[in-house]
Amino acid sequence: DGWAREQWSKINNELGLTAIAIPEAYGGHGFGVSEQCIILEEMGRSLLCAPYFGSAVLATSAILYAGTEEQKKELLPGIASGDTVATLAFTEENGLWDNSGIATVFENKGPHYFISGTKSFVVDGNTSDLIIVLARSPDSKNDEGLSLFTVDAKANGLRKDPLKSIDETRKLARIHFDQVP
């Protein structure tokens, strides 16, 4: 895994691929979805096994559309440079794909939030540095009380388990959160 990440880092440094769809104000190139689709098509053509989709597409989109200005300034430059590999953890073990299926919960304990639950099929979840997690308040239902949280992938109470899949180029993980800050 370390060797593959090092090789991806070299490629990304030369081409700036993770910066394509990130606005210039946050260290990116400021292109749009069309340009990113061209990159994704070429990556698919060569079966490139790199942490691009989870980081530059899923996590970046979540930050761009749901993050505050401060969060964008803090998080996006690292993704754009390739120094930070991020992912979006939203799929639950229950297999439901709507908001009512979100079982991972957050608790507000003073100045901090803590997350508990399990996310499955997290793209590049084992190699990420930053995890964007979709969770709900414990007393909410359906669309109410859903929030996105940023979690350091080395946080206490977090465990990552690799998942086997038919497509070995797609690295998937199950991530367990046990009162993770």
Side-chain angles (χ1 to χ4, degrees):
D1 243 1
W3 179 85
R5 184 159 175 172
E6 183 179 315
Q7 295 306 307
W8 165 245
S9 181
K10 287 179 185 179
I11 293 168
N12 188 55
N13 286 340
E14 289 178 24
L15 302 176
L17 299 175
T18 54
I20 291 294
I22 295 176
E24 290 180 20
Y26 310 116
H29 298 311
F31 292 109
V33 174
S34 298
E35 291 83 3
Q36 194 168 51
C37 285
I38 293 168
I39 291 169
L40 288 167
E41 183 178 348
E42 291 304 314
M43 287 180 175
R45 185 185 324 274
S46 65
L47 296 177
L48 179 67
C49 184
Y52 185 82
F53 183 69
S55 193
V57 179
L58 296 177
T60 294
S61 295
I63 294 166
L64 282 171
Y65 294 113
T68 64
E69 188 62 27
E70 293 85 26
Q71 290 166 332
K72 292 174 190 177
K73 287 179 181 176
E74 177 188 346
L75 302 171
L76 292 174
I79 295 171
S81 69
D83 293 336
T84 301
V85 173
T87 192
L88 178 64
F90 61 95
T91 307
E92 297 281 340
E93 287 196 301
N94 58 26
L96 299 175
W97 287 87
D98 61 1
N99 293 341
S100 66
I102 303 300
T104 300
V105 295
F106 68 86
E107 292 181 77
N108 185 348
K109 294 182 179 179
H112 302 287
Y113 289 89
F114 293 85
I115 298 173
S116 294
T118 300
K119 297 294 187 178
S120 289
F121 308 109
V122 180
V123 177
D124 299 317
N126 279 346
T127 59
S128 61
D129 305 307
L130 174 70
I131 305 168
I132 312 298
V133 183
L134 179 61
R136 72 170 55 253
S137 66
D139 54 350
S140 69
K141 295 182 179 177
N142 297 326
D143 292 344
E144 299 174 5
L146 294 176
S147 297
L148 291 171
F149 296 88
T150 56
V151 174
D152 184 325
K154 294 179 183 166
N156 289 333
L158 187 139
R159 188 179 87 232
K160 303 179 200 178
D161 296 327
L163 293 175
K164 291 187 183 253
S165 67
I166 293 172
D167 180 359
E168 293 183 16
T169 66
R170 178 69 55 215
K171 305 296 185 206
L172 300 173
R174 178 175 292 121
I175 302 180
H176 306 275
F177 301 89
D178 184 11
Q179 291 292 303
V180 175

